[in-house]
């Protein structure tokens, strides 16, 4: 039985050199943006709403995009923005896809349900500008948000949702009820009603649905449990699902393979589980 819920969800405390990662991500992302700006394949700070953080960056391949990938960042809905993750677009961009990376208003300035609506607005906006299938991915809190997009109560426009062909939730938080027991909820302000409305594992999938729950094998046990939970439940509700435990990966490096065009994670993102069913 878990008695210390704060420790159960504390990632940095259990990762060597955890403090080095944010600076490394920022440096890699800035270098990637500069490279694509030099070839006019990056459009930055596209407004999808009126609030300060309602903006996304769009990264484009050399030719007409095969489709649109959305990456939603993590940080427990209370940290980071789009600028730390640009380099993770490289894998999909190199394979011919456009990649949209949105920012969103952070807690406590927005409730989680408001953040969900913002992500839907960003995806709807980008979908109006890029044709083809839409594939969603996100990390940690971002994994929650993309899973929420393909739930039966998705806030996406119906035309947008019909174009979503694949989702990869990386280290996603799919049942928010345990977070009610953490100190971070002083910032998040979650309550019973909101966690019931926003937890993908407590909702039905929007069918047809192809979703992979991907987690580092070396992550905190609670993240592994959260990962497998959604795949297990949604399989029984008609979705095409799989759960992957990536060897030798922890919470901070599990996303790094998105930057690699030929990685298993990039291939998983760009290929639905059962393409003939989608």
């Amino acid at each position: 039985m878990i008695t210390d819920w704060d420790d159960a969800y504390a990632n940095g405390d259990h990762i060597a050199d955890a403090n080095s990662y944010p600076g490394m991500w920022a440096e890699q992302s800035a270098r990637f943006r500069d490279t694509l700006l030099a070839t006019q394949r990056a459009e930055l700070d596209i407004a999808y709403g009126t609030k300060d953080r309602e903006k996304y960056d769009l990264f484009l391949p050399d030719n007409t995009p095969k489709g649109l990938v959305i990456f939603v960042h993590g940080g427990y809905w209370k940290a980071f923005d789009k600028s730390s993750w640009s380099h993770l677009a490289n894998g999909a961009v190199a394979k011919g896809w456009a990649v949209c990376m949105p920012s969103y208003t952070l807690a406590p300035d927005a409730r989680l349900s408001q953040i969900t609506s913002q992500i839907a607005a960003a995806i709807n906006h980008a979908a109006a500008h890029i044709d083809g299938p839409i594939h969603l991915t996100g990390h940690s809190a971002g994994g929650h948000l993309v899973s929420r997009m393909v739930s039966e109560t998705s806030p996406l426009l119906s035309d947008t949702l019909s174009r979503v062909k694949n989702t990869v939730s990386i280290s996603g938080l799919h049942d928010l009820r345990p977070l009610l027991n953490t100190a971070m909820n002083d910032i998040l302000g979650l309550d019973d009603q909101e966690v019931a409305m926003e937890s993908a594992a407590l909702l039905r999938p929007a069918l047809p649905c192809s979703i992979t729950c991907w987690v580092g094998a070396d992550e905190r046990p609670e993240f592994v449990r959260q990962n497998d939970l959604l795949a297990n439940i949604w399989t029984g509700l008609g979705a095409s699902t799989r759960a992957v435990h990536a060897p030798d990966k922890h919470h901070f490096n599990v996303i790094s393979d998105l930057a690699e065009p030929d990685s298993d994670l990039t291939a998983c993102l760009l290929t639905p589980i059962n393409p003939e069913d989608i």
Side-chain angles (χ1 to χ4, degrees), residues 21-34 44-45 53 55-57 59 71-74 79-89 100-104:
Y21 280 88
M24 178 180 65
W25 293 328
E27 180 181 338
Q28 291 173 337
S29 291
R31 189 162 57 245
F32 178 81
R33 287 194 302 274
D34 288 345
L44 306 183
D45 293 326
R53 293 176 61 97
K55 297 183 173 99
Y56 64 82
D57 294 341
F59 303 108
F71 174 84
V72 183
H73 73 81
F80 294 113
D81 63 23
K82 59 185 173 61
S83 67
S84 292
W85 318 100
S86 308
H87 62 293
L88 299 180
C100 163
M101 292 197 168
S103 286
Y104 48 87

Side-chain angles (χ1 to χ4, degrees), residues 100-123:
C100 163
M101 292 197 168
S103 286
Y104 48 87
T105 305
L106 300 177
D109 294 329
R111 295 193 64 85
L112 198 147
S113 54
Q114 294 172 308
I115 295 170
T116 297
S117 296
Q118 287 182 317
I119 293 303
I123 297 171

Side-chain angles (χ1 to χ4, degrees), residues 30-45:
R31 189 162 57 245
F32 178 81
R33 287 194 302 274
D34 288 345
T35 298
L36 266 68
L37 283 168
T39 56
Q40 298 183 322
R41 292 191 293 128
E43 300 176 25
L44 306 183
D45 293 326

Side-chain angles (χ1 to χ4, degrees), residues 48 72 111-125 127 136 144-162 164 197-200 203-206 234:
Y48 67 85
V72 183
R111 295 193 64 85
L112 198 147
S113 54
Q114 294 172 308
I115 295 170
T116 297
S117 296
Q118 287 182 317
I119 293 303
I123 297 171
N124 288 331
H125 191 279
L136 308 178
H144 156 264
L145 290 164
V146 296
S147 301
R148 180 70 178 83
M149 294 302 113
V150 292
S151 67
E152 193 173 53
T153 55
S154 173
L156 291 173
L157 295 173
S158 58
D159 287 348
T160 304
L161 181 59
S162 70
V164 176
M197 181 174 65
E198 295 296 330
S199 295
L203 304 171
R204 301 183 68 88
W234 276 17

Side-chain angles (χ1 to χ4, degrees), residues 112-216:
L112 198 147
S113 54
Q114 294 172 308
I115 295 170
T116 297
S117 296
Q118 287 182 317
I119 293 303
I123 297 171
N124 288 331
H125 191 279
H129 293 82
I130 301 293
D131 293 331
I134 299 171
H135 290 198
L136 308 178
T137 190
H139 177 233
S140 198
H144 156 264
L145 290 164
V146 296
S147 301
R148 180 70 178 83
M149 294 302 113
V150 292
S151 67
E152 193 173 53
T153 55
S154 173
L156 291 173
L157 295 173
S158 58
D159 287 348
T160 304
L161 181 59
S162 70
R163 289 171 55 192
V164 176
K165 305 303 181 184
N166 197 37
T167 301
V168 180
S169 174
I170 306 171
S171 309
L173 295 161
H174 305 127
D175 180 358
L176 305 179
R177 290 174 296 184
L179 300 181
L180 295 172
N181 303 312
T182 65
M184 79 174 87
N185 199 43
D186 292 343
I187 296 172
L188 300 178
L190 294 169
D191 55 31
D192 289 338
Q193 180 179 2
E194 192 164 37
V195 298
M197 181 174 65
E198 295 296 330
S199 295
L202 304 181
L203 304 171
R204 301 183 68 88
L207 299 178
C209 179
S210 169
I211 184 166
T212 297
C213 299
W214 187 289
V215 70

